[in-house]
Amino acid sequence: MELSQYIKDKLVLEKRVAMPIMTHPGIELLGKRVLDAVTNGEIHYHAIRALNECFPQSVACTTIMDLTVEAEAFGAQLSMSSNEVPSVSGRLLAGYADVEALQVPSLESGRVPQYLQADRLAAKGIDKPVLAGCIGPYSLAGRLYDMTEIMMAIYTEPETARLLLEKCTEFILRYCLAIKETGVAGVIMAEPAAGLLSNEDCLQYSSVYVKRIIDAVQDDSFTVILHNCGNTGHCTPAMLSTGAQGYHFGNKADMLAALRECPSDVWVMGNLDPVGIFRMLTPEEVFAQTEELLSRTGGYANFIVSTGCDTPPEVPFDNIQAFYLAVEKYNKGR
């Protein structure tokens, strides 16, 4: 289902639409563990569907933001536990020779087939746009080379960093093409590590590679939304240079400043804190925080209220309901 027209249809009468990045509550609705969903595409799909049936107000469904799938495919070791999002453990690459020898994996590697299965089932089984997920090139490079080391390498070993980024980009491009083939409406590309860079470095070591992927996959039927929760506002111009249809900001960004910088013909999304607000506050406080953000951004028709990142496990369901109730109240007052 094509996302851009769907959102435009929903925005008639200048009503605000919501699209939190949220999957974990669906896992809990099934009585399953995070480990079950991140290793089994069918369970992953049923979690997305269960959450949509419980909270149908979202303008689109999202898959789990798992930033280890691509790194695992390359051979990185993971730390996986029952009810926590997987994380990369240790360092796979330690220099130019390692990067040169690194093989770009097939799409049959690791858990990639399970995520593609979840995408395929969701595209077919859910009656609204579904957004898959992938990691961005610089963030993937950091998980393979070590985040501190890759930040040093762009200055001390730029040829090593660029070679690794070429290989990461090749794989992510193949993955996004496969995601597109599943029939989903688009992909949220998570590039949080690029937010640690200056705008100039973000352009050189992230955006040019992201743009290459976007140019190859984005069209009228497939949307790319670039997520960078590390951006505090300093590298928004670099994000915009990628040509994505949508930009998703984390809770550290000033949402009004982001909206002022972004063109009116792209979707701008964010940025309620998924932990500090959704998980930690009371329903009344979640309602108030959502209402306040909607009021501040009321002058921007291209704003979509969302979380600042993927919501973690164990977000209270009353808090999710409070978020949607605040959107409903705001729209009734328009």
Side-chain angles (χ1 to χ4, degrees), residues 1 119-120 122-123 130-132 179-187 221-222:
M1 187 180 293
D119 297 341
R120 193 174 299 109
V130 174
L131 292 167
I179 288 171
K180 187 174 182 177
E181 286 296 315
T182 67
V184 296
V187 65
S221 67
F222 191 81

Side-chain angles (χ1 to χ4, degrees), residues 1-317:
M1 187 180 293
E2 193 262 315
L3 178 66
S4 184
Q5 188 58 49
Y6 187 85
I7 290 177
K8 287 176 184 175
D9 292 344
K10 292 288 185 181
L11 285 172
V12 293
L13 303 178
E14 298 183 348
K15 299 297 186 184
R16 185 65 74 212
V17 297
M19 196 200 78
I21 301 179
M22 187 181 296
T23 313
H24 290 287
I27 301 171
E28 292 154 19
L29 283 168
L30 296 179
K32 299 291 186 179
R33 306 171 300 168
V34 173
L35 184 63
D36 299 324
V38 299
T39 56
N40 185 300
E42 191 168 349
I43 293 173
H44 189 167
Y45 154 64
H46 283 294
I48 300 166
R49 181 169 177 167
L51 184 61
N52 182 55
E53 289 172 351
C54 187
F55 298 104
Q57 301 97 317
S58 180
V59 74
C61 295
T62 60
T63 65
I64 299 169
M65 187 179 280
D66 183 344
L67 304 188
T68 65
V69 175
E70 298 88 347
E72 181 188 30
F74 272 96
Q77 296 297 307
L78 303 187
S79 174
M80 300 181 77
S81 59
S82 293
N83 281 305
E84 293 184 8
V85 179
S87 59
V88 172
S89 165
R91 183 180 180 185
L92 181 67
L93 308 167
Y96 186 87
D98 287 349
V99 174
E100 188 175 37
L102 183 68
Q103 296 296 307
V104 177
S106 80
L107 295 178
E108 296 300 316
S109 303
R111 292 173 294 131
V112 171
Q114 294 299 324
Y115 273 70
L116 289 173
Q117 182 189 28
D119 297 341
R120 193 174 299 109
L121 290 170
K124 184 178 180 180
I126 297 175
D127 63 348
K128 67 171 57 169
V130 174
L131 292 167
C134 74
I135 197 171
Y138 184 77
S139 298
L140 175 56
R143 279 159 176 76
L144 299 175
Y145 203 77
D146 180 81
M147 199 59 67
T148 301
E149 296 294 332
I150 196 67
M151 290 191 70
M152 293 174 59
I154 65 173
Y155 301 112
T156 61
E157 308 171 68
E159 69 284 354
T160 302
R162 287 196 168 91
L163 179 59
L164 179 54
L165 284 163
E166 287 289 340
K167 294 188 176 188
C168 291
T169 301
E170 180 183 342
F171 180 72
I172 295 168
L173 175 52
R174 288 185 197 170
Y175 187 26
C176 284
L177 287 169
I179 288 171
K180 187 174 182 177
E181 286 296 315
T182 67
V184 296
V187 65
I188 299 175
M189 180 183 290
E191 183 72 313
L196 301 172
L197 303 173
S198 68
N199 188 69
E200 181 180 350
D201 287 337
C202 186
L203 278 166
Q204 290 188 58
Y205 293 100
S206 172
S207 296
V208 294
Y209 300 98
V210 172
K211 179 173 172 53
R212 191 185 306 172
I213 298 166
I214 289 173
D215 287 347
V217 302
Q218 184 170 261
D219 56 27
D220 290 342
S221 67
F222 191 81
T223 297
V224 179
I225 295 169
L226 180 59
H227 165 79
N228 183 344
C229 58
N231 175 27
T232 59
H234 64 286
C235 59
T236 301
M239 289 179 67
L240 293 172
S241 72
T242 63
Q245 174 61 42
Y247 298 91
H248 196 280
F249 292 85
N251 49 278
K252 292 182 179 179
D254 181 329
M255 206 67 247
L256 275 177
L259 282 159
R260 283 193 291 265
E261 283 197 67
C262 292
S264 61
D265 61 346
V266 299
W267 309 120
V268 182
M269 307 175 182
N271 71 335
L272 294 165
D273 190 334
V275 176
I277 293 177
F278 271 85
R279 187 173 177 180
M280 304 302 295
L281 296 186
T282 65
E284 293 76 17
E285 290 169 323
V286 172
F287 186 98
Q289 291 279 345
T290 306
E291 193 172 42
E292 191 269 339
L293 178 59
L294 289 168
S295 296
R296 281 196 295 118
T297 56
Y300 294 89
N302 59 329
F303 176 65
I304 296 174
V305 65
S306 181
T307 52
C309 197
D310 197 6
T311 55
E314 299 180 358
V315 167
F317 282 78

